[in-house]
Amino acid sequence: MKIYNPANGQLIDDVAEDSAESIARKVAAARRAQPAWAARSLDARTAILKRFRELVVERKETLAQLLTREVGKPISQARNELNALPGRLDFFLTHTERALADETVWTEPGLTERIGFEPLGVVANISAWNYPWFVGSNVFFPALLTGNAVVYKPSEFATLTGLAIRDLLYEAGVPQDLFAAAVGGGDAGSALLEAPIDAVCFTGSYPTGKRIAEVASKRLLKVQLELGGKDPVYVTDDVDVAVAAAAVADGAFYNTGQSCCAVERIYVHEKIHDEFVKHLVAEVARFKLGNPQDDSTYIGPLTRAAQLSVLERQVQDAVTKGAALLLGGKRIDQPGNWFAPTVLDRADHTMELMREESFGPVIGIASVASDEAALRLMNDTEYGLTAAVYSRSFERARPILSGVNVGSAYWNCCDRVSARLPWSGRGHSGLGATLSTLGIRAFVQPKAWHLRG
Ligand code: NAD
């Protein structure tokens, strides 16, 4: 499988792709290795995974450079991902013992009732490329800590990072058969699903997630899905407009807009609309676009060339239906996958721009007359990952955030993930939760102990 640098189209590596047979062999080896791993004490497993954390910290600059070369993430943002990773891993290292502890829920003379937790077995981790360290480790790290084997299929657009993860896990002491990387694209993912796994944890788009859930349902596999979003922000009329515009611009354009929780729709109160748009456009125009290896670059290339035509189509559709193109709006004609940061005003829900995930440096803005109108529009979507309200008053923001059908609600912040809180999507945004103690329990199954005597 050939791997290209999305910033300039140059070939950077050529790696061997897995076949259905090699994936089946890896799953079988993982199954054989899992009971011995689960039989080790939690302390023993924790020590190995702590070592993995240390290795990531030691090698972070090399790993950040690799991430930038392979997915085009601006180097400062690649470093941010690597720098934030240890904190996430620490959450799991600290909280797994409590999450796995047996719970005695009833005792009476001659009877004890207790809940125990056992690993699922072999977990398939089919992953995305946009934050490969975060979304990969949300699954493989707690899955390994809780005693499972993992067959990890990194995205075909983040394969080298996936292989680096595998090598660091081995170097830390994870047995080679217990964790395997399956290299390839959709075919490798399908082959992994066909193999005798016990659970599939998927991060990626809604269409692929739906297909995975359909296949998994036929075998009653445990399924967890972290999917896309069309995340709205509502800016009320009581904010510091410049500050809110800067925060929302960052939420929409960080990682070149390729975040599952990137701001994808902006609703702004009509009283501050013009001022907000002026500040937002100025902010976006200031973002430095260029070589992702430069420290000062904020906007890089798109990771996947195919997304360029999605963005072009969204812009064209929006403009045809009456949106005002204030900035950008087209590809940048140079090698690699470049799209100019784009702002469209007077967007409405007849436009794909406000309905389909853009997953790139493109944002639509709509003016609203009231909080009620904003809430109605925020909920007018199939997705339900995150939503944000910017307002000085939590009393004002709270009913809106309570009423919006999403897994994460943000007041005066956006595009944010915390390892302490569950990460979950509703509707087309997913099933189940990662992170938090719920994201540890996701990798074990309960056993009810009825003890007489
Ligand atoms: P994608 O759906 O194209 O691919 C995801 C993974 O599925 C890849 O590893 C791919 O090879 C694999 N795959 C493709 N077809 C398959 C099949 N038929 N069977 C099994 N596996 C298959 O998504 P992507 O482009 O890698 O990621 C972008 C999407 O991921 C966006 O929609 C984004 O919002 C979403 N995402 C969500 C979260 C979250 O936590 N909710 C996090 C990151 C990304």
Side-chain angles (χ1 to χ4, degrees), residues 55 62 86 117 126 172 282 288 328 390 438 448:
L55 290 170
T62 318
F117 298 97
I126 302 179
K288 188 172 166 228
Y390 282 76
L438 299 181

Side-chain angles (χ1 to χ4, degrees), residues 127 129-130 153 156 202 204-205 208 227-228 260 304 357 423:
S127 209
W129 47 266
N130 59 334
K153 200 205 81 59
E156 58 273 42
F202 172 79
S205 62
T208 315
L227 308 178
C260 52
R304 292 169 311 159
E357 194 177 33
W423 186 247

